[in-house]
Amino acid sequence: MSTVGKVIHCKAAVALEAKKPLVIQQIEVAPPKAKEVRIKIYHSGICHTDDHALGGFMAGITFPVILGHEGAGVVESVGEGVTTVKPGDHVIAICSPMCMKCPSCLHPDSNFCVKNDVGKHVGLMLDKTSRFSIKGKLIHNFMSTSTFCEYTVVDEFACVKIDPKAPLHEVCLIGCGFSTGYGSVLNTAKVQPGSACAVFGLGGIGMSVVMGCKVAGACRIIGVDINKGKFEIAKKLGCTECLDPNDYDKPIHEVIANMTDGGVDYSFECVGNVDLMACVIQSCHYSYGCATIIGVPPSTARLCLDLIWLLTGRTLKGAFLGDYKAKEAFPGLVKDAMNKKFDIGALVTHRVKFDKIMDGFELMRHGKCVRAVLDM
């Protein structure tokens, strides 16, 4: 029976309030309006950003809300005026969508659209309404996507068509974690062949950074994590050595500086911890090193740094979604994954049934996975 034009009743993992577990509930998903797309989500990665929101560390999040922003699925129906996708197309949801018309979208060095909901947390469609409800009560969306749901509705600019032969349980990670890490190497830091890199935090984003450094031709890739259980896979993906800061009686940035004659060429922070960010800045070479901040800290966190760290010649950068213009770049990344330019499947260490979603969160919180992916 066709669902086109009808309200769909389906399951969603709803965050009813901060600091409480997600609850699987039956919700209503309204049909897409003009320039909107309704997607049947097949797989969604669980990201630390979802946990930040659930934990109440993102100022402005309005509950109840359906989290999730790293999803892939198939278009179920489209609203009037949609031209870039059609029913049956395989798509990746874009948590940092781009209108391709505003100054930020048109600038060659920017991918942060003026219509982006990141940081604003309005939690609604572009027309300021929601397609989600429970018995008539509105539910907010998250980062323009809300992929912890069997069906979601996104504005057209928040999804992109991909090769239908691509494994959705792997390429869903391109929606956030993989592109964020990998792109920060190639687009933001612009790592050069023969360089030395240090990657702090070997979760899904950190491992994607490692893969990016390898593809970029770095000759030395130092992985840093307090969880030695991640070292084996990190070395398979490209790390030449791995360090646990707890094994040393001096700050790890001093250890790295001693190992690399003053510091690495490029360092990456992939955790979202401001104390670690200060360490990452100091771990790159004092004269020409480039430190890139990728991790998202709590909204109340503030970074304190000694300006001499930068005045000697270091560069400090930040990026969102790896500086990719997602509409243009994601289909190519999917092709690269299919052609084995990088092993994105290695990031998926656990697959979790949708109704066990909190098990996936626990795996992430305790560092027992690289990325846990939901099977919807």
Side-chain angles (χ1 to χ4, degrees), residues 17-166:
E17 57 182 301
K19 303 183 188 300
K20 298 290 186 180
L22 299 175
V23 179
I24 302 293
Q25 294 194 325
Q26 285 287 327
I27 71 162
E28 299 91 43
V29 181
K33 294 184 179 181
K35 303 295 287 183
E36 295 176 359
V37 180
R38 189 158 63 181
I39 304 167
K40 178 176 175 56
I41 296 294
Y42 279 86
H43 301 282
S44 181
I46 299 175
C47 177
H48 279 282
T49 301
D50 299 309
D51 206 24
H52 276 311
L54 186 59
F57 300 115
M58 281 187 172
I61 295 289
T62 305
F63 295 85
V65 61
I66 298 174
L67 302 175
H69 62 284
E70 199 175 68
V74 177
V75 174
E76 176 270 339
S77 61
V78 300
E80 182 182 356
V82 171
T83 60
T84 58
V85 296
K86 63 183 184 304
D89 283 347
H90 288 217
V91 294
I92 291 176
I94 303 174
C95 65
S96 181
M98 302 186 69
C99 70
M100 301 309 293
K101 296 177 181 178
C102 72
S104 292
C105 286
L106 295 176
H107 195 285
D109 297 328
S110 171
N111 72 340
F112 207 82
C113 179
V114 67
K115 295 182 179 180
N116 204 315
D117 197 38
V118 175
K120 302 173 188 174
H121 305 308
V122 174
L124 299 171
M125 307 296 290
L126 289 178
D127 70 353
K128 306 304 181 187
T129 63
S130 174
R131 303 296 162 265
F132 301 132
S133 61
I134 296 179
K135 297 178 180 179
K137 182 179 179 181
L138 181 149
I139 310 173
H140 289 82
N141 67 32
F142 181 65
M143 293 180 72
S144 307
T145 50
S146 288
T147 59
F148 291 167
C149 189
E150 291 179 317
Y151 286 86
T152 191
V153 178
V154 302
D155 291 291
E156 184 181 9
F157 78 150
C159 70
V160 62
K161 180 181 176 180
I162 61 169
D163 191 320
K165 296 186 292 296

Side-chain angles (χ1 to χ4, degrees), residues 20 29 63 80 103 126 186 201-202 206 208 247 320 353 368:
K20 298 290 186 180
V29 181
F63 295 85
E80 182 182 356
L126 289 178
L186 302 181
L202 297 174
S208 300
D247 291 341
F320 191 81
K353 294 293 184 183
K368 295 181 179 179

Side-chain angles (χ1 to χ4, degrees), residues 255-298:
V255 174
I256 292 174
N258 290 336
M259 292 169 57
T260 56
D261 195 20
V264 293
D265 300 288
Y266 304 94
S267 58
F268 299 87
E269 197 279 341
C270 310
V271 177
N273 180 294
V274 292
D275 292 329
L276 185 60
M277 290 174 189
C279 182
V280 169
I281 295 169
Q282 295 175 86
S283 73
C284 68
H285 197 278
Y286 61 87
S287 181
Y288 52 76
C290 174
T292 301
I293 304 301
I294 307 172
V296 179

